[in-house]
Structure formats: C-alpha cells, structure tokens
Amino acid sequence: MGEQSAPPEFLIVGHILAPWGIKGEIKTQVITDFPDRFTPGELVYVDGLPLQIETSRAHQQHLVLKLVTIDTRQEAEQLRGKDLCIPGTSIRPLPSDEYYAFQLIGLDVITTEGKPVGRITDIMSTAGSDIYVVNGESGEILIPAIEDVVKSVDLDNGRVIIEAIEGLLNSA
C-alpha cells in the first residue's frame, strides 16, 4: 500500500522575482489558490524566518509586497529568487476532489480491474490539467489527472484508481 506523505514543514505560496522601487517592495509570483494569504498582517517565511506583510497590491499578474523590516532596495535585492512559504500546519482545506501534491505523492495507482500500475512519484502541472508521474514495473508512465481517467482517490487506503483508457498504459 502507498503511504500518504505528511504535510511538509513549509509549503511554497509565492516566489520573489525582483525588488520593486526603492522602498523595499518586492515583485512576487503567486503560487497558491489562496492569494488572500498575502494580506497585510499575515506572516510569510523566507528561509525559515517569519516576515510580516505590511502592504500588498496587484500589479499585472503579480503582487507587489512590502514586508516589515525590508525597507531598502538593497534589502529587497537580497530576497531575489527566494520562496515565500507558510508552515505546512497552516494549509487550508481544499474543495472535495482536489488534493495537495504532498497528499498524492507516494500513493499506489491501480486500474479499475485491480491491476497495479505503480506509485505516484511526482506531479507536473500543465495548462490543461495535472499529470501524475507514476513509476512501476514497466517504467515511468504519465497519467492525466482528468475525470475520464482518475476514478477515485482513496487517501485512507493510499491509492488512486484509474480507468486504463486505450493507449494510456501502452502494454505492447
């Protein structure tokens, strides 16, 4: 049986792209379904250190954040390329049938007929849908995380049940 991964110590919710202006603001790429995490007063972690958000505003498809204690362009430059994180213990529940990657990695994948396919080792995000990277006896298989293929996710029993549509498993 596959084992569900424990929540990570920190979960990435943003990535610092560059300093913005001269007062310590940073241009940030949002990597979360909950952008309200970036409201003033909230804490984010950079390299494990907590920093409070002072201000936050949208700019095109990014956010411009001002963190308390980061007051110059030089201080903001030190943060370039770093991730903004939250503690894994503060993750928010997702709607039903949606899962965090750490919940899926390590789960066994079996077909609706009960044939083992392998274990999820990674998840790739694409414009259309996520792709589960599954390693099994026949090597690496890419499984699209779409309704026609993924029939159920059973976190309690550590498995994902898929419908092996034609050409998916290429058992030739």
Side-chain angles (χ1 to χ4, degrees), residues 15 17 27-30 57-64:
H15 183 73
L17 299 172
K27 183 177 174 183
T28 305
Q29 177 185 358
V30 175
R57 69 180 188 279
H59 178 72
Q60 296 171 353
Q61 70 271 30
H62 299 102
L63 283 180
V64 175

Side-chain angles (χ1 to χ4, degrees), residues 3 6-7 16 20 48 75 79 85 89 91-92 101 103 113-115 130 134:
E3 285 186 27
I16 300 169
W20 187 264
E75 290 170 337
L79 301 177
C85 301
T89 54
I91 63 170
R92 295 185 184 172
Q103 294 176 300
E113 292 82 33
K115 177 185 173 204
D130 286 345
V134 177

Side-chain angles (χ1 to χ4, degrees), residues 118-135:
R119 184 167 284 173
I120 298 175
T121 58
D122 198 8
I123 298 173
M124 300 184 311
S125 292
T126 66
S129 67
D130 286 345
I131 305 288
Y132 299 160
V133 179
V134 177
N135 278 316

Side-chain angles (χ1 to χ4, degrees), residues 62-164:
H62 299 102
L63 283 180
V64 175
L65 300 178
K66 168 68 177 77
L67 302 174
V68 175
T69 73
I70 306 297
D71 297 317
T72 68
R73 183 175 182 87
Q74 291 74 21
E75 290 170 337
E77 181 64 46
Q78 299 300 311
L79 301 177
R80 180 191 293 266
K82 295 187 181 283
D83 291 323
L84 294 171
C85 301
I86 59 165
T89 54
S90 68
I91 63 170
R92 295 185 184 172
L94 294 173
S96 63
D97 295 334
E98 289 186 31
Y99 304 92
Y100 287 105
F102 74 83
Q103 294 176 300
L104 298 172
I105 291 175
L107 296 185
D108 290 322
V109 176
I110 60 172
T111 67
T112 51
E113 292 82 33
K115 177 185 173 204
V117 177
R119 184 167 284 173
I120 298 175
T121 58
D122 198 8
I123 298 173
M124 300 184 311
S125 292
T126 66
S129 67
D130 286 345
I131 305 288
Y132 299 160
V133 179
V134 177
N135 278 316
E137 288 183 16
S138 57
E140 185 174 272
I141 301 167
L142 302 178
I143 307 286
I146 57 174
E147 196 173 318
D148 288 347
V149 175
V150 177
K151 295 304 175 186
S152 70
V153 175
D154 184 351
L155 294 179
D156 293 334
N157 292 306
R159 66 182 178 199
V160 174
I161 298 172
I162 65 163
E163 179 72 42

